[in-house]
Amino acid sequence: MKILFAGSPQAAADTLEILLNNQTECGFEIAGVLSNPPTAKGRHKELTPTPVAELAISKNIPVFTPEHLDSQAREQITPLGADLLISFAYGHIFGPKFLAMFPMGGINLHPSLLPKYRGCTPVSAAILNRDTQTAVTIQTLALKMDEGNILAQKILTLDGTETGESLLNESAKIGAELICSLLKDASKTKTLPNGTEQTGTPSYTGIITKNDGKINWKESAATIEAKIRAYYPDPGCWCVENELPLRILKAGFIDVADQRASKYNSEPEGKVLEFVKSEGIYIKTAEGILVVKELQRQGKKTMNYKDFMNGARDFVGSVLQ
């Protein structure tokens, strides 16, 4: 059974690597990889392949990076003779002509408890909403976004410490394991199970931009802390200090009902209240206190709060925007 794998970011590369390590045992072959075109990065704007493409190149697997999934792209991919399309974070909708190339159809790894959080940022959404559970779902590829039948699903319990990076990495590993298990049977029959239709009211997620990471001190400390975790490492959360961006990469919070927060009720939102060596830097929010653990000034390296305060004597008492 030949497979075309479609994906782009590092998490998808992690899934691909697990699939490659298990392809003989599970009875399939990664015959080619479909990924986004290289992007210009660094000071010299050198064209850099996606992590998925880079991994495939290192394994001598054919790589396809079309701008559009048009007739030319189909002509390039058809000679592979792939039986099945597997997609994870590729970023494009597959049209009917493209899906028709694969006798077994296609499957998609989606890190959410479908139909909750369809779309491109389900991991961030689960963290932002402080959900207590999410899931990794393997579904059939449908013509509409994330509406395919569910073939396999594993529930994940969230404890409130996850970041966008850690949860996506865990989802990539679990998703690969689910796919391998599914393909063990499919490789023998050359058919996928029918799966089960999604039930419940769907919700949707959208693209996250740098501006979404701007901290609003008029929100609660719990909301801001969740946003910091959800948007780590990209696009990251930031505020403004002396007209320059200040990134906050890790934080905790003190709830508004806590006595430690009540003595600062009259202080303005965004004020740096105090430096507590055993905890972090206290910053006032609309409800409660954000306790900053790790931060970064523009053009400087990331620092823990103790090292940061060694060179920021006037930070306490300032008001962040």
Side-chain angles (χ1 to χ4, degrees):
M1 179 173 63
K2 292 185 177 182
I3 289 170
L4 176 68
F5 183 90
S8 295
Q10 183 58 51
D14 293 342
T15 296
L16 175 60
E17 187 161 25
I18 294 172
L19 294 179
L20 287 169
N21 291 337
N22 288 274
Q23 58 184 344
T24 301
E25 178 187 348
C26 296
F28 63 86
E29 173 195 353
I30 304 295
V33 158
L34 179 65
S35 196
N36 284 331
T39 54
K41 291 184 178 180
R43 181 179 299 176
H44 301 292
K45 300 299 181 182
E46 294 181 359
L47 288 178
T48 304
T50 68
V52 165
E54 193 169 26
L55 174 61
I57 292 167
S58 73
K59 303 290 186 180
N60 295 315
I61 298 171
V63 176
F64 305 90
T65 59
E67 290 280 356
H68 306 286
L69 297 178
D70 51 18
S71 59
Q72 184 177 359
R74 295 196 298 273
E75 288 174 5
Q76 292 175 340
I77 292 168
T78 296
L80 286 179
D83 301 292
L84 177 70
L85 171 65
I86 296 179
S87 176
F88 177 29
Y90 174 51
H92 298 271
I93 298 292
F94 300 104
K97 291 182 180 179
F98 193 86
L99 288 177
M101 295 168 56
F102 307 95
M104 294 176 62
I107 61 175
N108 179 49
L109 191 169
H110 191 73
S112 85
L113 189 56
L114 287 171
K116 195 174 186 179
Y117 305 141
R118 291 173 178 170
C120 58
T121 53
V123 167
S124 297
I127 297 173
L128 282 173
N129 293 324
R130 288 177 277 163
D131 292 347
T132 57
Q133 66 174 207
T134 187
V136 179
T137 302
I138 308 301
Q139 60 173 158
T140 57
L141 276 168
L143 295 180
K144 293 185 178 180
M145 184 172 56
D146 299 327
E147 292 191 9
N149 287 356
I150 294 173
L151 302 176
Q153 191 172 71
K154 182 172 181 179
I155 305 296
L156 304 182
T157 299
L158 304 181
D159 62 13
T161 63
E162 299 81 9
T163 66
E165 180 179 61
S166 69
L167 184 52
L168 189 59
N169 288 345
E170 183 180 6
S171 298
K173 178 182 176 182
I174 293 171
E177 293 168 352
L178 291 175
I179 290 172
C180 286
S181 178
L182 179 69
L183 295 187
K184 270 188 177 181
D185 294 329
S187 64
K188 299 171 186 175
T189 63
K190 286 295 184 77
T191 58
L192 293 172
N194 292 328
T196 58
E197 291 186 7
Q198 297 180 35
T199 58
T201 303
S203 61
Y204 295 87
T205 64
I207 295 172
I208 296 170
T209 68
K210 181 181 177 180
N211 287 337
D212 291 319
K214 174 70 166 66
I215 294 173
N216 179 4
W217 298 109
K218 295 187 181 299
E219 294 182 322
S220 70
T223 297
I224 295 171
E225 186 271 343
K227 183 180 287 187
I228 290 167
R229 289 188 292 110
Y231 294 164
Y232 179 87
D234 185 52
C237 278
W238 56 281
C239 57
V240 177
E241 176 205 12
N242 294 328
E243 300 184 356
L244 292 174
L246 174 69
R247 295 190 74 198
I248 297 180
L249 296 95
K250 187 176 181 181
F253 69 94
I254 298 172
D255 191 79
V256 66
D258 193 296
Q259 287 186 343
R260 289 174 294 174
S262 60
K263 68 176 181 177
Y264 296 111
N265 285 341
S266 62
E267 298 291 351
E269 290 91 354
K271 183 173 181 179
V272 182
L273 300 170
E274 61 176 306
F275 164 44
V276 181
K277 286 187 178 181
S278 61
E279 295 181 67
I281 302 167
Y282 284 15
I283 302 177
K284 179 72 166 59
T285 73
E287 296 180 16
I289 295 170
L290 189 73
V291 184
V292 175
K293 311 282 189 181
E294 194 171 282
L295 58 175
Q296 181 184 25
R297 280 177 168 152
Q298 186 177 45
K300 304 293 184 180
K301 66 178 182 179
T302 299
M303 305 179 76
N304 66 52
Y305 66 95
K306 291 180 182 179
D307 291 339
F308 179 87
M309 288 303 298
N310 285 336
R313 300 295 182 184
D314 297 328
F315 192 57
V316 173
S318 64
V319 179
L320 306 175
Q321 303 299 319

